[in-house]
Amino acid sequence: MIDLHTHTLFSDGELIPAELTRRAAAAGYRAIALTDHGDASNIDFIVPRIARVAASLGEAWGLTVLPGIELTHVPPQQIAELAREARKLGARIVVCHGETIVEPVAPGTNRAALEADIDILSHPGLISGADAAIAAERGICLEITTRKGHSLTNGHVVRMAQSHGAALVINNDCHAPGDLISLAMARNIAFGAGLSEREFELCRRHSEALVKKALAAK
Ligand SMILES: [Zn+2]
Ligand SMILES: [Zn+2]
């Protein structure tokens, strides 16, 4: 299992990086990205601290730990600049908090994120076909999420990704220990969103490819 979208105490997660990564290793995870909620006020605080501990925690627990960020409720016109800054600060996985239908995310966030240097557009809500096509063209993964609320539009995201050729990844958006779900549950949620077994395996390969790319960027 790989989860490239999780939260620690540096934003609204319940656990510090050491415990989250330890629990992920104990749950059998092979890789995890720590992607706390960030905006212009805090990314210089969060990213270097996570980046400082990621490799040593990964070594200690026997899994890959990647420092990242989830740009969250950032005004669309600031997303590209903040994505660049996050990379400079050491983020290996850049996620942007997409237009979930359960929060008033600014319209235009999906588009601005897909035009920026990000890896994953999380919970993109009722993403348009045009935006899914940009994701496909730019090699940005769209997210199927196992998280309550955000997951309400998983079926739509799958349909848009399928019809426009965009890559999908499955993430847990883990905030608490109970969010570190099993591979079996992730598979069930993927099937519930309309993915086939083959498409589910493809999602896992996309996650693996992102991990490899992130490690190569070091
Ligand atoms: Zn989010
Ligand atoms: Zn999140």
Side-chain angles (χ1 to χ4, degrees):
M1 186 79 192
I2 294 175
D3 190 354
L4 297 177
H5 177 178
T6 69
H7 298 278
T8 76
L9 274 179
F10 279 103
S11 59
D12 59 350
E14 290 182 7
L15 307 174
I16 58 173
E19 184 170 353
L20 176 59
T21 53
R22 176 63 202 151
R23 283 179 178 270
Y29 283 52
R30 291 191 294 125
I32 188 170
L34 308 182
T35 57
D36 277 299
H37 297 295
D39 66 11
S41 73
N42 67 356
I43 65 169
D44 63 327
F45 176 74
I46 298 172
V47 177
R49 280 165 179 77
I50 298 278
R52 193 186 305 155
V53 296
S56 61
L57 287 175
E59 211 170 292
W61 309 141
L63 81 171
T64 300
V65 178
L66 297 169
I69 196 77
E70 183 183 21
L71 300 174
T72 304
H73 286 276
V74 166
Q77 63 273 23
Q78 297 178 19
I79 291 173
E81 171 67 35
L82 277 184
R84 267 194 299 274
E85 193 178 336
R87 296 246 188 240
K88 259 189 242 156
L89 290 164
R92 303 293 174 194
I93 295 287
V94 177
V95 178
C96 185
H97 184 92
E99 294 178 43
T100 172
I101 61 169
V102 296
E103 288 174 21
V105 177
T109 294
N110 284 351
R111 175 63 61 96
L114 290 166
E115 289 173 344
D117 177 22
I118 68 163
D119 300 297
I120 298 169
L121 179 59
S122 57
H123 45 69
L126 296 173
I127 184 171
S128 68
D131 284 351
I134 295 174
E137 191 191 308
R138 302 208 60 230
I140 293 169
C141 292
L142 302 179
E143 181 190 74
I144 299 304
T145 178
T146 64
R147 188 156 180 80
K148 277 180 206 157
H150 296 333
S151 60
L152 287 168
T153 55
N154 277 346
H156 172 79
V157 176
V158 164
R159 201 161 54 84
M160 287 296 110
Q162 285 170 337
S163 41
H164 298 277
L168 292 168
V169 290
I170 299 178
N171 288 326
N172 296 341
D173 202 352
C174 175
H175 286 70
D179 298 336
L180 289 168
I181 63 166
S182 66
L183 184 62
M185 180 56 88
R187 177 185 271 112
N188 284 343
I189 290 168
F191 289 176
L195 290 179
S196 65
E197 180 76 47
R198 193 185 67 82
E199 288 168 322
F200 175 68
E201 287 307 320
L202 256 182
C203 286
R204 299 185 67 207
R205 261 185 262 158
H206 293 144
S207 296
E208 264 167 41
L210 280 177
V211 171
K212 271 198 200 130
K213 187 180 148 209
L215 289 172
K218 276 186 184 178

